[in-house]
Amino acid sequence: MGIVIDEELCEGCGKCVPKCTHHALRMAGPLAVVNNKYCTDCGICIDYCPSDAMDLTENVVGDTHESEDLVPDESGVKRVVINADNPCIERAEEGCDDCHSCVKTCRAREKKLLDPDFQICLGCGQCIHTCEGKVLHPRNSLDKVLEALQSGRTCIAYTAPGTRVALGDDFGEKPGTNVEGRLVSALRAMGFQYVLDVNFAADVTIIEEANELIRRINGEGTLPMFTSCCPAWISYAEYFYPDLLDNISTCKSPIGMEGALIDSYFTKFKQLDSKDVFTVALTPCTAKKGEILRPEITGTDAVLTIQELSSYIKTYMDFEKPQPQEFDSFMGTGSGAGAIFGNTGGVCEAALRTAYHTLTGQELDAEVCEPLHGMNDFKEITLKAGDVEIHAAVVNEMSSALPILDSVRNGTCQYQFIEIMNCRGGCIGGGGQPLLREEDEFYVKKNRIETLYKKDQNSACRTSHGNPEVQKLYADFLGEPGSHLAESLLHTAYNDLSSSVKK
Ligand code: SF4
């Protein structure tokens, strides 16, 4: 069995897509398409289709791409342009046989990017996973990192929330297994003197972001406020929605904050000279390789993806051997709220926990935010915090963001706070994660998401404002959230790049 969509009847309203809990439906151009490998024949979409365009069929032809191929590629683009100076992704052009896989992925997941005369790469790396010829890769930063490790400089690594639940995939672990301890050991064995946790900086991001949200709700700034952690989303806004740049939180991403704090706070505490320090962010994300090149993002010298680390470990180490180790204790402790940053909905939930505490003095019952869990394209919640009602929404994947972006543009948006992450599932689904077959995507990402929620549930501290290391950072160094020093180190600005887009 499977679902068939009548193209004559489908009006492209997209109402079916968020109803599919198995993520088997998405919009491609003007039509809904179904991935029958994920479809469980539950038929929920049929009930929600106002045009009666969907039906169950026994005649499912082939696999996932059959339905997608029915959508003509009007652009004529054969391969997504990856320029030689693309900082995030590289392609062995001679090995590419123009199979269109990257084009289909970019069109379905990113939208608006495939004008035949002008193509914009956000650097998200989703095409790496669907490239049939396996000629697309994260831009190599491993050589630069290995050179630094040999140079005698003090090398510091920090690991993003979603990395620990994916590295194990490449070493025979069940998808979603948390290999945090072995990841830390492997980085120390590689030669890093310090291994820190970006979950700490995620907590700092939340302190600043929740503070900013409350200020905006109180009339100081534009609403709704979008999250700002995802560099692919930031680039998307800079190219296609420059009129909404004031709506984006000015907070740097956790990697941006981590780099700035190492450069200032960490080196001061450890009495290191910044010039002798080399810093490496380990991320699920290829787009971060571009983010650290922005002039206002300082303190991170290289971004290494899990794919690159994995290739190093496979060549030089036995990943079974290292005994699990803990992060360094200074800037090495994150809360449960920091851990869930890797999941779609996690940033929003973490910020609401802290905003609620700031507004009421009480801790928010974590279960209140469960509507923000899961892989649906769109999720929402209304949270009453004292006299304030916060309407928040979460967009899972870039292509799902267009309706809400347009609603902000035309003044009909009802939300005050909106999380947008480029990758399906959030950063646990980043382009730099171990290669993932499309048919395994839902299961693997679901496992990664569940593991991060379990980490949160089992954490001694589940809120960013409750993290003792973060409290110490503010007490000893930053002062108040939004202080002059916090603004200068932890906040940023955006650029209107729309003139680069062909009209
Ligand atoms: Fe990178 Fe996460 Fe954005 Fe994907 S969702 S582009 S992994 S920051």
Side-chain angles (χ1 to χ4, degrees):
M1 296 289 279
I3 289 288
V4 66
I5 301 171
D6 187 324
E7 290 180 44
E8 298 287 314
L9 294 176
C10 177
E11 292 177 354
C13 68
K15 288 186 177 154
C16 56
V17 174
K19 299 300 174 193
C20 178
T21 51
H22 299 278
H23 227 82
L25 288 162
R26 63 173 178 269
M27 299 305 294
L31 298 172
V33 294
V34 61
N35 180 337
N36 273 311
K37 281 200 171 171
Y38 295 169
C39 176
T40 59
D41 303 331
C42 70
I44 285 175
C45 55
I46 297 173
D47 295 337
Y48 280 97
C49 177
S51 313
D52 287 332
M54 314 188 99
D55 209 350
L56 280 169
T57 177
E58 291 188 354
N59 302 317
V60 178
V61 188
D63 64 11
T64 164
H65 296 303
E66 296 293 333
S67 304
E68 248 177 69
D69 286 344
L70 295 175
V71 183
D73 184 358
E74 288 165 5
S75 70
V77 176
K78 293 224 188 305
R79 55 175 91 170
V80 172
V81 168
I82 307 291
N83 291 323
D85 60 354
N86 186 315
C88 308
I89 303 168
E90 57 189 38
R91 172 167 47 208
E93 297 289 344
E94 64 284 0
C96 173
D97 63 1
D98 290 331
C99 76
H100 287 121
S101 300
C102 56
V103 176
K104 280 191 275 189
T105 301
C106 199
R107 184 175 56 192
R109 299 192 178 196
E110 308 305 322
K111 300 274 173 70
K112 290 199 173 184
L113 305 178
L114 290 169
D115 185 302
D117 298 327
F118 188 88
Q119 295 181 46
I120 293 164
C121 174
L122 303 177
C124 72
Q126 291 302 305
C127 52
I128 293 171
H129 294 265
T130 56
C131 172
E132 289 182 14
K134 301 287 167 262
V135 295
L136 286 164
H137 306 283
R139 173 71 61 190
N140 174 17
S141 305
L142 189 55
D143 294 345
K144 183 178 173 186
V145 171
L146 294 177
E147 198 179 300
L149 287 166
Q150 300 292 323
S151 69
R153 295 167 78 183
T154 301
C155 291
I156 304 173
Y158 27 103
T159 64
T163 52
R164 64 210 78 202
V165 292
L167 178 63
D169 290 17
D170 273 347
F171 298 92
E173 300 289 350
K174 182 177 172 229
T177 301
N178 187 347
V179 297
E180 180 179 292
R182 280 191 283 157
L183 169 58
V184 174
S185 306
L187 289 167
R188 290 226 175 86
M190 218 171 150
F192 287 98
Q193 282 96 327
Y194 297 100
V195 183
L196 312 178
D197 196 353
V198 177
N199 289 11
F200 165 84
D203 281 333
V204 182
T205 305
I206 284 304
I207 300 291
E208 292 296 316
E209 195 160 275
N211 178 61
E212 183 182 358
L213 176 64
I214 292 169
R215 275 196 282 114
R216 289 186 187 226
I217 287 174
N218 287 335
E220 291 177 50
T222 312
L223 285 174
M225 184 177 90
F226 293 110
T227 56
S228 54
C229 316
C230 173
W233 147 236
I234 295 298
S235 297
Y236 201 87
E238 289 181 324
Y239 283 115
F240 300 112
Y241 289 89
D243 48 319
L244 303 187
L245 294 181
D246 284 346
N247 292 85
I248 302 176
S249 163
T250 59
C251 290
K252 289 180 182 175
S253 72
I255 297 289
M257 291 200 182
E258 182 90 17
L261 288 172
I262 286 176
D263 209 17
S264 51
Y265 179 60
F266 187 89
T267 50
K268 187 173 169 196
F269 182 81
K270 297 284 183 187
Q271 297 184 322
L272 296 168
D273 185 339
S274 292
K275 289 197 295 302
D276 297 329
V277 169
F278 189 86
T279 52
V280 180
L282 182 70
T283 76
C285 179
T286 47
K288 293 280 171 199
K289 288 174 183 279
E291 179 186 325
I292 63 163
L293 302 179
R294 296 173 73 100
E296 65 277 17
I297 302 298
T298 55
T300 297
D301 295 307
V303 164
L304 208 58
T305 60
I306 284 293
Q307 281 184 40
E308 293 165 277
L309 177 67
S310 179
S311 73
Y312 176 86
I313 293 174
K314 282 176 183 166
T315 310
Y316 297 106
M317 291 179 188
D318 180 352
F319 195 57
E320 296 301 316
K321 285 231 172 97
Q323 284 299 309
Q325 294 180 9
E326 296 196 343
F327 290 104
D328 282 273
S329 57
F330 192 81
M331 288 179 63
T333 308
S335 73
I340 60 174
F341 249 65
N343 293 346
T344 165
V347 180
C348 184
E349 178 168 350
L352 290 178
R353 288 182 193 175
T354 290
Y356 184 87
H357 179 262
T358 306
L359 289 165
T360 66
Q362 310 287 317
E363 297 298 352
L364 180 66
D365 180 352
E367 287 175 10
V368 169
C369 289
E370 276 179 9
L372 302 178
H373 294 199
M375 291 268 280
N376 281 353
D377 289 352
F378 184 80
K379 296 167 279 187
E380 61 185 319
I381 191 172
T382 298
L383 181 67
K384 188 141 177 38
D387 297 335
V388 178
E389 262 196 359
I390 304 176
H391 303 283
V394 168
V395 176
N396 176 19
E397 191 172 73
M398 202 64 243
S399 59
S400 310
L402 302 194
I404 205 162
L405 290 172
D406 289 335
S407 78
V408 177
R409 190 172 255 177
N410 65 30
T412 58
C413 178
Q414 57 181 310
Y415 304 102
Q416 289 126 321
F417 184 41
I418 302 166
E419 174 193 306
I420 298 184
M421 304 300 274
N422 177 85
C423 298
R424 188 180 290 170
C427 300
I428 54 93
Q433 297 282 57
L435 285 181
L436 189 56
R437 294 184 311 169
E438 197 172 7
E439 58 266 36
D440 298 331
E441 182 180 358
F442 182 79
Y443 161 73
V444 171
K445 290 184 177 178
K446 187 168 156 287
N447 284 10
R448 290 175 186 167
I449 286 170
E450 281 172 2
T451 303
L452 289 187
Y453 281 130
K454 268 192 209 128
K455 183 171 170 59
D456 169 37
Q457 282 158 13
N458 295 332
S459 295
C461 168
R462 296 186 67 182
T463 59
S464 302
H465 55 272
N467 181 339
E469 274 215 87
V470 172
Q471 291 169 349
K472 185 171 165 48
L473 167 74
Y474 278 93
D476 293 354
F477 186 64
L478 290 175
E480 297 296 311
S483 68
H484 183 69
L485 183 58
E487 284 288 329
S488 69
L489 286 176
L490 309 179
H491 290 255
T492 187
Y494 310 109
N495 309 304
D496 179 349
L497 301 178
S498 59
S499 61
S500 328
V501 181
K502 193 172 163 243
K503 296 280 189 281

